[in-house]
mmCIF file of all heavy atoms in Angstrom:
data_model
loop_
_atom_site.group_PDB
_atom_site.id
_atom_site.type_symbol
_atom_site.label_atom_id
_atom_site.label_comp_id
_atom_site.label_asym_id
_atom_site.label_seq_id
_atom_site.Cartn_x
_atom_site.Cartn_y
_atom_site.Cartn_z
ATOM 1 N N ASN A 1 -70.460 91.955 -62.641
ATOM 2 C CA ASN A 1 -69.273 92.484 -63.121
ATOM 3 C C ASN A 1 -69.492 93.043 -64.544
ATOM 4 O O ASN A 1 -70.530 92.700 -65.165
ATOM 5 C CB ASN A 1 -68.188 91.537 -63.148
ATOM 6 C CG ASN A 1 -67.822 90.977 -61.748
ATOM 7 O OD1 ASN A 1 -67.441 91.801 -60.869
ATOM 8 N ND2 ASN A 1 -67.956 89.701 -61.519
ATOM 9 N N TYR A 2 -68.574 93.871 -65.021
ATOM 10 C CA TYR A 2 -68.801 94.340 -66.383
ATOM 11 C C TYR A 2 -67.483 94.665 -67.097
ATOM 12 O O TYR A 2 -66.411 94.762 -66.397
ATOM 13 C CB TYR A 2 -69.599 95.683 -66.396
ATOM 14 C CG TYR A 2 -68.993 96.875 -65.875
ATOM 15 C CD1 TYR A 2 -68.370 97.758 -66.768
ATOM 16 C CD2 TYR A 2 -68.965 97.171 -64.548
ATOM 17 C CE1 TYR A 2 -67.731 98.895 -66.271
ATOM 18 C CE2 TYR A 2 -68.317 98.202 -64.036
ATOM 19 C CZ TYR A 2 -67.699 99.146 -64.872
ATOM 20 O OH TYR A 2 -67.076 100.253 -64.403
ATOM 21 N N TYR A 3 -67.503 94.798 -68.341
ATOM 22 C CA TYR A 3 -66.417 95.216 -69.179
ATOM 23 C C TYR A 3 -66.875 96.012 -70.318
ATOM 24 O O TYR A 3 -68.054 95.884 -70.708
ATOM 25 C CB TYR A 3 -65.426 94.186 -69.508
ATOM 26 C CG TYR A 3 -66.022 93.105 -70.550
ATOM 27 C CD1 TYR A 3 -66.007 93.255 -71.891
ATOM 28 C CD2 TYR A 3 -66.551 91.954 -69.995
ATOM 29 C CE1 TYR A 3 -66.479 92.304 -72.669
ATOM 30 C CE2 TYR A 3 -67.094 90.968 -70.779
ATOM 31 C CZ TYR A 3 -67.093 91.130 -72.133
ATOM 32 O OH TYR A 3 -67.619 90.140 -72.919
ATOM 33 N N ILE A 4 -66.079 96.875 -70.799
ATOM 34 C CA ILE A 4 -66.428 97.822 -71.934
ATOM 35 C C ILE A 4 -65.482 97.603 -73.094
ATOM 36 O O ILE A 4 -64.214 97.496 -72.787
ATOM 37 C CB ILE A 4 -66.411 99.262 -71.549
ATOM 38 C CG1 ILE A 4 -67.421 99.513 -70.351
ATOM 39 C CG2 ILE A 4 -66.840 100.154 -72.722
ATOM 40 C CD1 ILE A 4 -67.283 100.924 -69.741
ATOM 41 N N ILE A 5 -65.905 97.448 -74.277
ATOM 42 C CA ILE A 5 -65.090 97.284 -75.504
ATOM 43 C C ILE A 5 -65.351 98.630 -76.321
ATOM 44 O O ILE A 5 -66.456 98.742 -76.847
ATOM 45 C CB ILE A 5 -65.368 96.136 -76.357
ATOM 46 C CG1 ILE A 5 -65.221 94.832 -75.477
ATOM 47 C CG2 ILE A 5 -64.459 96.069 -77.611
ATOM 48 C CD1 ILE A 5 -65.674 93.564 -76.139
ATOM 49 N N ASN A 6 -64.384 99.498 -76.298
ATOM 50 C CA ASN A 6 -64.519 100.736 -77.133
ATOM 51 C C ASN A 6 -64.134 100.384 -78.565
ATOM 52 O O ASN A 6 -63.188 99.653 -78.736
ATOM 53 C CB ASN A 6 -63.658 101.775 -76.538
ATOM 54 C CG ASN A 6 -64.103 102.155 -75.088
ATOM 55 O OD1 ASN A 6 -65.241 102.532 -74.914
ATOM 56 N ND2 ASN A 6 -63.160 102.214 -74.126
ATOM 57 N N ASP A 7 -64.773 101.104 -79.498
ATOM 58 C CA ASP A 7 -64.467 100.933 -80.921
ATOM 59 C C ASP A 7 -64.345 99.415 -81.256
ATOM 60 O O ASP A 7 -63.294 98.958 -81.735
ATOM 61 C CB ASP A 7 -63.152 101.587 -81.275
ATOM 62 C CG ASP A 7 -62.832 101.728 -82.771
ATOM 63 O OD1 ASP A 7 -63.741 101.397 -83.594
ATOM 64 O OD2 ASP A 7 -61.718 102.123 -83.148
ATOM 65 N N PRO A 8 -65.427 98.660 -81.044
ATOM 66 C CA PRO A 8 -65.359 97.223 -81.180
ATOM 67 C C PRO A 8 -65.004 96.746 -82.620
ATOM 68 O O PRO A 8 -64.442 95.701 -82.703
ATOM 69 C CB PRO A 8 -66.789 96.789 -80.805
ATOM 70 C CG PRO A 8 -67.615 97.985 -80.866
ATOM 71 C CD PRO A 8 -66.752 99.130 -80.682
ATOM 72 N N TYR A 9 -65.276 97.479 -83.553
ATOM 73 C CA TYR A 9 -65.001 97.019 -84.939
ATOM 74 C C TYR A 9 -63.518 96.807 -85.111
ATOM 75 O O TYR A 9 -63.066 95.850 -85.734
ATOM 76 C CB TYR A 9 -65.546 98.024 -86.007
ATOM 77 C CG TYR A 9 -65.453 97.462 -87.416
ATOM 78 C CD1 TYR A 9 -66.348 96.518 -87.942
ATOM 79 C CD2 TYR A 9 -64.365 97.751 -88.182
ATOM 80 C CE1 TYR A 9 -66.270 96.050 -89.120
ATOM 81 C CE2 TYR A 9 -64.305 97.198 -89.474
ATOM 82 C CZ TYR A 9 -65.195 96.341 -89.936
ATOM 83 O OH TYR A 9 -65.090 95.801 -91.201
ATOM 84 N N ASN A 10 -62.718 97.681 -84.537
ATOM 85 C CA ASN A 10 -61.300 97.558 -84.563
ATOM 86 C C ASN A 10 -60.614 96.855 -83.424
ATOM 87 O O ASN A 10 -59.431 96.667 -83.437
ATOM 88 C CB ASN A 10 -60.695 99.040 -84.752
ATOM 89 C CG ASN A 10 -61.087 99.553 -86.075
ATOM 90 O OD1 ASN A 10 -60.891 98.922 -87.157
ATOM 91 N ND2 ASN A 10 -61.606 100.725 -85.961
ATOM 92 N N ASN A 11 -61.419 96.476 -82.390
ATOM 93 C CA ASN A 11 -60.854 95.905 -81.150
ATOM 94 C C ASN A 11 -61.392 94.526 -80.807
ATOM 95 O O ASN A 11 -61.338 94.107 -79.694
ATOM 96 C CB ASN A 11 -60.987 96.911 -80.062
ATOM 97 C CG ASN A 11 -60.164 98.066 -80.161
ATOM 98 O OD1 ASN A 11 -58.959 98.043 -80.483
ATOM 99 N ND2 ASN A 11 -60.798 99.236 -80.071
ATOM 100 N N ILE A 12 -62.034 93.837 -81.699
ATOM 101 C CA ILE A 12 -62.545 92.473 -81.510
ATOM 102 C C ILE A 12 -62.125 91.545 -82.620
ATOM 103 O O ILE A 12 -61.867 91.972 -83.715
ATOM 104 C CB ILE A 12 -64.087 92.429 -81.240
ATOM 105 C CG1 ILE A 12 -64.812 92.868 -82.552
ATOM 106 C CG2 ILE A 12 -64.468 93.180 -80.059
ATOM 107 C CD1 ILE A 12 -66.311 92.617 -82.497
ATOM 108 N N GLN A 13 -62.095 90.297 -82.277
ATOM 109 C CA GLN A 13 -61.870 89.296 -83.406
ATOM 110 C C GLN A 13 -63.246 88.903 -83.910
ATOM 111 O O GLN A 13 -64.171 88.719 -83.134
ATOM 112 C CB GLN A 13 -61.260 87.968 -82.779
ATOM 113 C CG GLN A 13 -59.878 88.260 -82.295
ATOM 114 C CD GLN A 13 -59.262 86.994 -81.711
ATOM 115 O OE1 GLN A 13 -59.681 85.862 -82.058
ATOM 116 N NE2 GLN A 13 -58.325 87.114 -80.881
ATOM 117 N N LYS A 14 -63.434 89.021 -85.224
ATOM 118 C CA LYS A 14 -64.699 88.723 -85.841
ATOM 119 C C LYS A 14 -64.681 87.435 -86.578
ATOM 120 O O LYS A 14 -63.871 87.252 -87.541
ATOM 121 C CB LYS A 14 -65.046 89.858 -86.794
ATOM 122 C CG LYS A 14 -65.225 91.196 -86.041
ATOM 123 C CD LYS A 14 -65.310 92.356 -87.069
ATOM 124 C CE LYS A 14 -64.019 92.932 -87.555
ATOM 125 N NZ LYS A 14 -63.077 93.564 -86.666
ATOM 126 N N GLU A 15 -65.546 86.535 -86.120
ATOM 127 C CA GLU A 15 -65.658 85.212 -86.816
ATOM 128 C C GLU A 15 -67.117 84.828 -86.967
ATOM 129 O O GLU A 15 -67.863 84.852 -85.951
ATOM 130 C CB GLU A 15 -65.025 84.076 -85.997
ATOM 131 C CG GLU A 15 -63.512 84.259 -85.840
ATOM 132 C CD GLU A 15 -62.896 83.093 -84.983
ATOM 133 O OE1 GLU A 15 -63.550 82.059 -84.741
ATOM 134 O OE2 GLU A 15 -61.774 83.311 -84.462
ATOM 135 N N PRO A 16 -67.589 84.558 -88.187
ATOM 136 C CA PRO A 16 -68.954 84.188 -88.300
ATOM 137 C C PRO A 16 -69.328 82.930 -87.591
ATOM 138 O O PRO A 16 -68.524 81.927 -87.591
ATOM 139 C CB PRO A 16 -69.079 83.953 -89.797
ATOM 140 C CG PRO A 16 -67.891 84.408 -90.438
ATOM 141 C CD PRO A 16 -66.786 84.566 -89.406
ATOM 142 N N SER A 17 -70.402 82.883 -86.914
ATOM 143 C CA SER A 17 -70.801 81.665 -86.218
ATOM 144 C C SER A 17 -72.193 81.155 -86.478
ATOM 145 O O SER A 17 -72.623 80.145 -86.018
ATOM 146 C CB SER A 17 -70.710 81.986 -84.749
ATOM 147 O OG SER A 17 -71.605 82.966 -84.283
ATOM 148 N N LYS A 18 -72.908 81.858 -87.331
ATOM 149 C CA LYS A 18 -74.321 81.442 -87.724
ATOM 150 C C LYS A 18 -74.361 81.542 -89.222
ATOM 151 O O LYS A 18 -73.822 82.455 -89.860
ATOM 152 C CB LYS A 18 -75.364 82.308 -87.117
ATOM 153 C CG LYS A 18 -75.628 82.150 -85.684
ATOM 154 C CD LYS A 18 -76.743 82.939 -85.231
ATOM 155 C CE LYS A 18 -77.007 82.614 -83.810
ATOM 156 N NZ LYS A 18 -78.233 83.409 -83.355
ATOM 157 N N TYR A 19 -74.986 80.591 -89.806
ATOM 158 C CA TYR A 19 -75.208 80.557 -91.215
ATOM 159 C C TYR A 19 -76.635 80.169 -91.514
ATOM 160 O O TYR A 19 -77.282 79.306 -90.942
ATOM 161 C CB TYR A 19 -74.249 79.583 -91.959
ATOM 162 C CG TYR A 19 -72.857 79.901 -91.768
ATOM 163 C CD1 TYR A 19 -72.099 79.422 -90.753
ATOM 164 C CD2 TYR A 19 -72.184 80.760 -92.728
ATOM 165 C CE1 TYR A 19 -70.788 79.814 -90.581
ATOM 166 C CE2 TYR A 19 -70.950 81.037 -92.590
ATOM 167 C CZ TYR A 19 -70.190 80.634 -91.544
ATOM 168 O OH TYR A 19 -68.855 80.973 -91.380
ATOM 169 N N LYS A 20 -77.232 80.829 -92.515
ATOM 170 C CA LYS A 20 -78.589 80.460 -93.011
ATOM 171 C C LYS A 20 -78.446 79.346 -93.966
ATOM 172 O O LYS A 20 -77.610 79.494 -94.935
ATOM 173 C CB LYS A 20 -79.221 81.734 -93.599
ATOM 174 C CG LYS A 20 -80.660 81.497 -93.977
ATOM 175 C CD LYS A 20 -81.250 82.849 -94.433
ATOM 176 C CE LYS A 20 -82.726 82.723 -94.622
ATOM 177 N NZ LYS A 20 -83.343 84.076 -95.017
ATOM 178 N N VAL A 21 -79.109 78.283 -93.810
ATOM 179 C CA VAL A 21 -79.024 77.061 -94.669
ATOM 180 C C VAL A 21 -80.228 76.957 -95.543
ATOM 181 O O VAL A 21 -81.301 76.854 -94.969
ATOM 182 C CB VAL A 21 -78.772 75.804 -93.832
ATOM 183 C CG1 VAL A 21 -78.572 74.673 -94.781
ATOM 184 C CG2 VAL A 21 -77.451 76.011 -92.974
ATOM 185 N N LEU A 22 -80.036 77.039 -96.811
ATOM 186 C CA LEU A 22 -81.212 76.888 -97.757
ATOM 187 C C LEU A 22 -80.760 75.880 -98.826
ATOM 188 O O LEU A 22 -79.563 75.738 -99.167
ATOM 189 C CB LEU A 22 -81.458 78.266 -98.466
ATOM 190 C CG LEU A 22 -81.837 79.416 -97.553
ATOM 191 C CD1 LEU A 22 -81.823 80.707 -98.359
ATOM 192 C CD2 LEU A 22 -83.225 79.131 -96.961
ATOM 193 N N PRO A 23 -81.730 75.159 -99.315
ATOM 194 C CA PRO A 23 -81.347 74.236 -100.441
ATOM 195 C C PRO A 23 -80.972 74.971 -101.655
ATOM 196 O O PRO A 23 -81.477 76.146 -101.868
ATOM 197 C CB PRO A 23 -82.675 73.465 -100.722
ATOM 198 C CG PRO A 23 -83.767 74.283 -100.038
ATOM 199 C CD PRO A 23 -83.108 75.098 -99.015
ATOM 200 N N SER A 24 -80.026 74.448 -102.375
ATOM 201 C CA SER A 24 -79.599 75.115 -103.591
ATOM 202 C C SER A 24 -80.680 75.116 -104.648
ATOM 203 O O SER A 24 -81.515 74.174 -104.581
ATOM 204 C CB SER A 24 -78.268 74.523 -104.131
ATOM 205 O OG SER A 24 -78.518 73.254 -104.541
ATOM 206 N N LYS A 25 -80.629 75.967 -105.575
ATOM 207 C CA LYS A 25 -81.674 75.906 -106.673
ATOM 208 C C LYS A 25 -81.527 74.658 -107.548
ATOM 209 O O LYS A 25 -82.431 74.078 -107.983
ATOM 210 C CB LYS A 25 -81.511 77.130 -107.566
ATOM 211 C CG LYS A 25 -81.891 78.424 -106.806
ATOM 212 C CD LYS A 25 -81.711 79.641 -107.622
ATOM 213 C CE LYS A 25 -82.034 80.838 -106.800
ATOM 214 N NZ LYS A 25 -82.012 82.077 -107.572
#
């Protein structure tokens, strides 16, 4: 099956789900 999201920048919910983890200086 398939679906299409046109103009995704304006038609999706955007939530960060990955973070790069580094020790602080």
Side-chain angles (χ1 to χ4, degrees):
N1 295 303
Y2 72 95
Y3 61 90
I4 302 168
I5 303 172
N6 296 309
D7 189 10
Y9 189 81
N10 293 307
N11 291 310
I12 62 172
Q13 294 179 24
K14 299 171 274 299
E15 294 180 18
S17 61
K18 289 187 175 184
Y19 295 90
K20 188 174 186 177
V21 177
L22 301 169
S24 66
K25 292 180 181 183

